Amino acid sequence: MGNEKSALSGLEIDEKPIEVTDFWAHHTAHVSGHSTQTISVYVSEPSLHYTANFGNPSPLEKAAKNLMLYRHPCILKYVSSWSKGNKFFLATEQVKPLIQSIETQNTLQICMGLYSILRALVFLHEKAFVSHNNICESSIYVTPEGYWKLGGLECLCKFKELTSYLKRIRNYRYEKAISSVEDTAIALTSFTSIDAYAFGILAENILKLKDPDYVPSFLEFKQFCKENLQNPDPTLRSELSHVLQHPFFTHDFMRIYAFLDELPLKSNQEKEIFFGTLITQLRTFPENIVAEQLGRLLLSRMVLLDTTAQEQLLPFILKPKENDNGTNGNLFTISTFKVYLVPKLLQMFCIRDVSIRLVLLLHFNSFVHTFQESELKSQVLPELLALPL
C-alpha cells in the first residue's frame, strides 16, 4: 500500500487526536509548501487492531486501498498513505466525524448530507458492484464547508464475496444496523439490501429529534425509512437510486443545489431561466444555510462567467447587507459573508484567470471591507500584482 518514501513532505501532525476508534487515531495535520494545507491523518498501530478478524492488511490499510480505488465526490477524498515503523498512516481531505457535529445541524443540512451519502452508495452499488456493509454515523465525515463524505470503507467488499465476508466481520460492524434476516439466503441475493437497511436505520436515528424545518415530506420520509428500507423482506427494500427520487430529496433547495452542481450540462436557455429567478428563491431560506451549503457553487467559475448570473445574481451575492437588518435586497449579512464567502473569495483570487479577475474586481468595492488587512496584504494584493490585466 505505502512506504516511508510516500510520506508527505512538510507534514506536521497535531499531537492531540480529534477521534480515537478501535482501529486508528484521527488527527488534524498541516502540510507546508507554497501555501499551508490542512488535512486529516489517520494513524494505526498494532495495538489498535491486533484482535480484529480482518486478516491482513489491517482495517486502516483496507480503508486506504478502497478510498484510493473508489473515487467519487461524495466519498472521503484520498490524499496519500504510507508506513513508518510499525505504524500505518492515511491522509485524506480535512474532515471531522459527523458524530461531533450532528447535534448542531438542522434538518435541511441533514437532508443534503443524507443525499450525498445516497449518491456515494448508488455509485458503489451500480458502478463498482460493491457493498459498504457498515453505514452508520461513525462512517460519515464532514468537511469544513459542511459537505458529508462517506468513509468507513474498511468493511467494503464485492457483492460476490458478501456471504462469507459478512460473517467474518460481523463483530466490527454497527450492530443496530444489521438486519435479523441478513444471514438468510434471500438477503444475500438482494445484495444492495444490506446497505439499504443500514441507511434506513441511519436516517431514522439522525432525524428522530429533528423538526421538519424547511424540508417537505419529512414525516413521510421517516415512515418510508421504517416501512420500506427496514422491511423484514430484503427483496421489498427499494434500490437506493430510487430513494434519491423521494420528495424529501427533490424539494426546492435540493433542486437549486443539483442545478448548480450540474451547471456545465445545462443549456443557455435553462441557465437564463434559472438565474433569472434564483435570488428570489434563495431569499426564502436561512442565509447561513445558503452560504454554507451553496457558497462554493455560487462562486464557481461557471456562475461567475455566466452573463445572466452577472446581471441578476452576483450584485446581490457579492455585496453584503449594510447591517444585520438590512433591507436592500442583498442576500448575506456582513457576519455571514465573512464566515462563509470570504474564504472562498480568497481562493478565487488565487485563480490567475483574467476573466475571473475582472468579475471579482468589478464588485471589489462591494466586499473589500469584509477582508482583514492582513488578508489583503498577504493574499489578495500579491495575486493581483502577479497577473497584469
Side-chain angles (χ1 to χ4, degrees):
M1 266 300 304
N3 53 54
E4 294 187 22
K5 291 183 179 180
S6 61
L8 297 172
S9 59
L11 177 67
E12 294 185 8
I13 302 176
D14 291 357
E15 183 175 348
K16 184 178 180 180
I18 62 174
E19 173 194 30
V20 178
T21 73
D22 291 340
F23 304 132
W24 58 72
H26 175 183
H27 300 256
T28 298
H30 307 276
V31 181
S32 300
H34 174 67
S35 59
T36 300
Q37 179 187 8
T38 303
I39 61 175
S40 285
V41 172
Y42 307 79
V43 185
S44 177
E45 54 185 281
S47 63
L48 289 175
H49 58 74
Y50 70 94
T51 60
N53 190 28
F54 276 79
N56 197 18
S58 69
L60 186 61
E61 290 175 281
K62 278 185 172 289
K65 179 180 179 180
N66 287 326
L67 288 175
M68 184 168 56
L69 182 61
Y70 302 109
R71 307 266 188 158
H72 186 272
C74 298
I75 293 178
L76 187 61
K77 183 179 179 181
Y78 173 91
V79 174
S80 182
S81 59
W82 65 95
S83 297
K84 185 175 182 180
N86 64 348
K87 295 183 179 181
F88 183 81
F89 298 78
L90 165 65
T92 72
E93 63 184 311
Q94 182 189 4
V95 289
K96 63 181 179 181
L98 173 65
I99 55 179
Q100 296 182 7
S101 62
I102 189 61
E103 291 185 1
T104 63
Q105 298 210 354
N106 62 33
T107 307
L108 186 55
Q109 291 171 303
I110 292 172
C111 174
M112 296 191 69
L114 290 174
Y115 183 81
S116 294
I117 300 306
L118 274 177
R119 289 180 59 200
L121 288 172
V122 169
F123 164 76
L124 292 175
H125 290 174
E126 300 185 0
K127 300 297 184 181
F129 306 106
V130 296
S131 179
H132 184 280
N133 299 325
N134 199 30
I135 299 299
C136 57
E137 286 185 47
S138 62
S139 296
I140 301 172
Y141 296 88
V142 183
T143 70
E145 295 80 21
Y147 296 103
W148 290 21
K149 297 296 185 83
L150 180 62
L153 269 59
E154 66 277 3
C155 290
L156 179 145
C157 74
K158 295 185 180 298
F159 285 154
K160 62 183 179 181
E161 301 169 353
L162 267 173
T163 304
S164 60
Y165 191 69
L166 289 179
K167 293 179 180 178
R168 183 149 56 93
I169 64 169
R170 187 181 182 95
N171 292 337
Y172 308 101
R173 298 163 61 204
Y174 180 54
E175 185 177 0
K176 293 182 179 179
I178 301 176
S179 168
S180 60
V181 298
E182 180 176 281
D183 294 333
T184 64
I186 192 171
L188 295 180
T189 55
S190 302
F191 300 126
T192 61
S193 70
I194 305 297
D195 289 340
Y197 183 87
F199 182 85
I201 295 290
L202 170 72
E204 181 185 17
N205 289 344
I206 288 179
L207 295 171
K208 186 178 298 182
L209 301 178
K210 298 297 181 179
D211 298 318
D213 288 343
Y214 292 84
V215 184
S217 302
F218 174 78
L219 296 178
E220 291 87 342
F221 180 68
K222 290 174 66 175
Q223 184 176 4
F224 174 83
C225 289
K226 188 72 175 178
E227 297 179 356
N228 182 298
L229 298 181
Q230 298 176 49
N231 194 303
D233 184 347
T235 62
L236 297 180
R237 299 172 195 160
S238 292
E239 295 289 334
L240 294 182
S241 56
H242 297 159
V243 181
L244 285 171
Q245 304 306 314
H246 192 281
F248 184 74
F249 295 114
T250 56
H251 53 82
D252 288 345
F253 193 89
M254 291 300 298
R255 183 182 56 79
I256 293 171
Y257 170 80
F259 193 101
L260 289 170
D261 197 39
E262 300 170 3
L263 199 58
L265 305 177
K266 304 299 183 181
S267 68
N268 289 334
Q269 183 178 8
E270 288 175 318
K271 287 187 284 188
E272 287 178 10
I273 296 172
F274 176 75
F275 286 121
T277 60
L278 181 56
I279 192 65
T280 301
Q281 296 178 65
L282 292 177
R283 291 192 186 112
T284 65
F285 302 102
E287 63 166 305
N288 64 309
I289 301 299
V290 174
E292 182 176 17
Q293 300 296 337
L294 301 180
R296 176 182 61 87
L297 294 171
L298 290 171
L299 294 180
S300 70
R301 174 185 173 84
M302 291 293 296
V303 172
L304 291 178
L305 298 183
D306 185 88
T307 303
T308 307
Q310 290 175 356
E311 296 175 355
Q312 302 194 41
L313 176 67
L314 296 185
F316 304 100
I317 296 288
L318 293 176
K319 184 175 182 179
K321 298 177 182 179
E322 296 178 1
N323 54 64
D324 288 348
N325 297 317
T327 56
N328 57 2
N330 298 333
L331 195 59
F332 305 116
T333 58
I334 291 178
S335 57
T336 298
F337 196 95
K338 286 182 176 180
V339 171
Y340 297 108
L341 269 68
V342 163
K344 293 177 176 62
L345 286 170
L346 290 173
Q347 293 174 0
M348 296 302 294
F349 272 108
C350 292
I351 300 175
R352 298 181 178 181
D353 181 296
V354 173
S355 300
I356 296 294
R357 286 284 172 82
L358 289 174
V359 173
L360 294 177
L361 290 176
L362 179 64
H363 298 275
F364 194 61
N365 286 341
S366 298
F367 60 76
V368 62
H369 61 287
T370 63
F371 289 146
Q372 296 180 13
E373 184 177 344
S374 59
E375 293 171 335
L376 290 170
K377 289 182 177 180
S378 65
Q379 298 182 62
V380 177
L381 293 180
E383 286 296 334
L384 290 177
L385 294 173
L387 180 64
L389 294 175

